[in-house]
Amino acid sequence: MELRQLRYFIGISEAGSLLKASSRLHVAQPALSQQMAALEQDVGARLLERSSRGVTLTEAGKAFLAHARVVLDDVERARQAACELAGAPSGPVAIGLPTTVGLVATVPLLQACQQQLPRVQLRIVEGYSGFLREWLLAGRVDIALLFGAGPDPALVKRPLVEDRLVLVTAASGRRGPRRMALSGIADWPLILPGQGHGLRSIIDEACQPQGIVLDVVAEVESLSSVKRAVEAGLGATILPYGSVAEEVAAGRLRASHIDGPSMLRHVVCASSVTRPMTSAGAAVIELVHGLIRRMAKRKEWPVRWVGAEPGG
């Protein structure tokens, strides 16, 4: 199996036909067909279905495509790692951010990277924490900020901050207390993400030991939609304070502190144990560590810093 065969296979899958792929790759069509036949023989499975309308991937081809892209990405990372020894960190780095973290960290992270690591091409991917972990292990992202400080044998985790959850209500209508017991959230109609969402899991796991039954009137996955629904008076929600700080300051929403250590999210910077890290990736990890620490210390992100101190 050769790297050029993987590149040709990816090119054909993206083009949808041998003719278009031939033009894009600047390789003669008979040569492409010959290379794909050799690749399929080497793999031991049919990867492409050919017809008069073009080329489609078989189920085996779809599975192979994901791995082929990871292999070529790893080759590029290896090339970058070798090149970086001769100069400043450079090359692409993909970092995954949960949506609620991205809301406060994306712009500062982009600004810091442009100023401190100008030769690094940063790609930010937002998603649920559970998805980000899968993408990290699959090589789709190099680094991810995840929730949960517990041990994970597949990941290297660096603790960053504790993010407290608050009850969020509309500025008009019923006013929530400044502080409330965990049991108090049962008195509010709630709009929450669905079962299996990381935030919902924290809330459910906190309530279950105390037998607290929540009045969930709607399940909504979109952060922006949840905030708009609460602002419209359709219910309350539970979110990290940082994700609503702007609306609270503007007087559109209110936030009530929920007592209890269980209503905390632990944010960590994670990387894969098995995938080698380029110097650009390592530089971005240090950049993230320093940036989040400064944001927490200056209260630009209302969280508590729990990570290592410089020189510690």
Side-chain angles (χ1 to χ4, degrees):
M1 188 181 301
E2 302 177 9
L3 291 178
R4 64 173 177 171
Q5 291 175 333
L6 300 184
R7 294 191 181 95
Y8 293 167
F9 174 70
I10 293 172
I12 292 169
S13 68
E14 292 175 347
S17 76
L18 286 170
L19 181 60
K20 290 181 181 179
S22 175
S23 176
R24 293 181 184 181
L25 297 170
H26 306 291
V27 178
Q29 189 171 335
L32 278 182
S33 297
Q34 183 179 21
Q35 289 295 332
M36 289 305 96
L39 179 61
E40 288 177 326
Q41 183 176 3
D42 194 14
V43 172
R46 192 168 187 81
L47 304 176
L48 301 169
E49 291 287 355
R50 302 159 179 82
S51 69
S52 58
R53 291 178 294 181
V55 174
T56 58
L57 295 177
T58 64
E59 289 302 313
K62 293 176 183 178
F64 186 78
L65 177 62
H67 290 283
R69 284 176 169 153
V70 169
V71 168
L72 291 186
D73 286 345
D74 283 345
V75 170
E76 176 60 20
R77 289 189 184 96
R79 188 188 70 80
Q80 288 290 340
C83 292
E84 286 165 3
L85 292 176
S90 64
V93 177
I95 181 169
L97 300 179
T99 303
T100 51
V101 173
L103 195 65
V104 294
T106 293
V107 172
L109 181 55
L110 288 172
Q111 291 172 335
C113 190
Q114 289 179 2
Q115 294 168 2
Q116 300 178 39
L117 300 171
R119 296 177 61 186
V120 171
Q121 294 87 50
L122 191 65
R123 181 167 67 91
I124 296 179
V125 181
E126 288 192 6
Y128 296 149
S129 184
F131 291 162
L132 293 176
R133 180 185 181 279
E134 294 177 7
W135 297 343
L136 188 59
L137 296 180
R140 291 181 59 184
V141 297
D142 305 298
I143 307 158
L145 299 193
L146 304 177
F147 301 125
D152 187 330
L155 299 177
V156 176
K157 292 182 176 181
R158 294 180 63 166
L160 296 177
V161 297
E162 287 181 346
D163 197 3
R164 177 162 291 282
L165 302 181
V166 296
L167 179 75
V168 182
T169 58
S172 58
R174 179 185 175 190
R175 179 184 290 270
R178 293 181 64 86
R179 300 182 71 92
M180 62 190 304
L182 178 62
S183 58
I185 65 177
D187 299 330
W188 293 81
L190 295 174
I191 301 172
L192 297 177
Q195 299 284 343
H197 188 283
L199 178 60
R200 180 67 178 273
S201 298
I202 292 174
I203 298 168
D204 289 344
E205 289 170 7
C207 292
Q208 186 177 10
Q210 299 189 33
I212 299 170
V213 179
L214 301 180
D215 179 18
V216 181
V217 296
E219 293 184 340
V220 180
E221 301 291 339
S222 166
L223 174 62
S224 60
S225 296
V226 168
K227 292 196 290 184
R228 286 198 299 269
V230 172
E231 193 172 338
L234 300 178
T237 192
I238 298 172
L239 288 170
Y241 181 75
S243 64
V244 293
E246 183 177 337
E247 290 85 353
V248 171
R252 303 203 307 272
L253 294 173
R254 295 193 184 107
S256 300
H257 177 99
I258 304 172
D259 288 329
S262 57
M263 298 301 281
L264 290 173
R265 295 195 306 179
H266 299 269
V267 183
V268 301
C269 183
S271 59
S272 171
V273 169
T274 59
R275 306 189 67 80
M277 183 64 65
T278 65
S279 62
V284 170
I285 289 176
E286 293 303 318
L287 178 73
V288 167
H289 190 271
L291 172 67
I292 299 301
R293 179 182 178 276
R294 287 194 299 274
M295 291 178 67
K297 296 288 187 180
R298 297 172 182 174
K299 304 303 181 183
E300 296 167 355
W301 184 10
V303 291
R304 187 171 78 91
W305 176 254
V306 296
E309 295 293 343

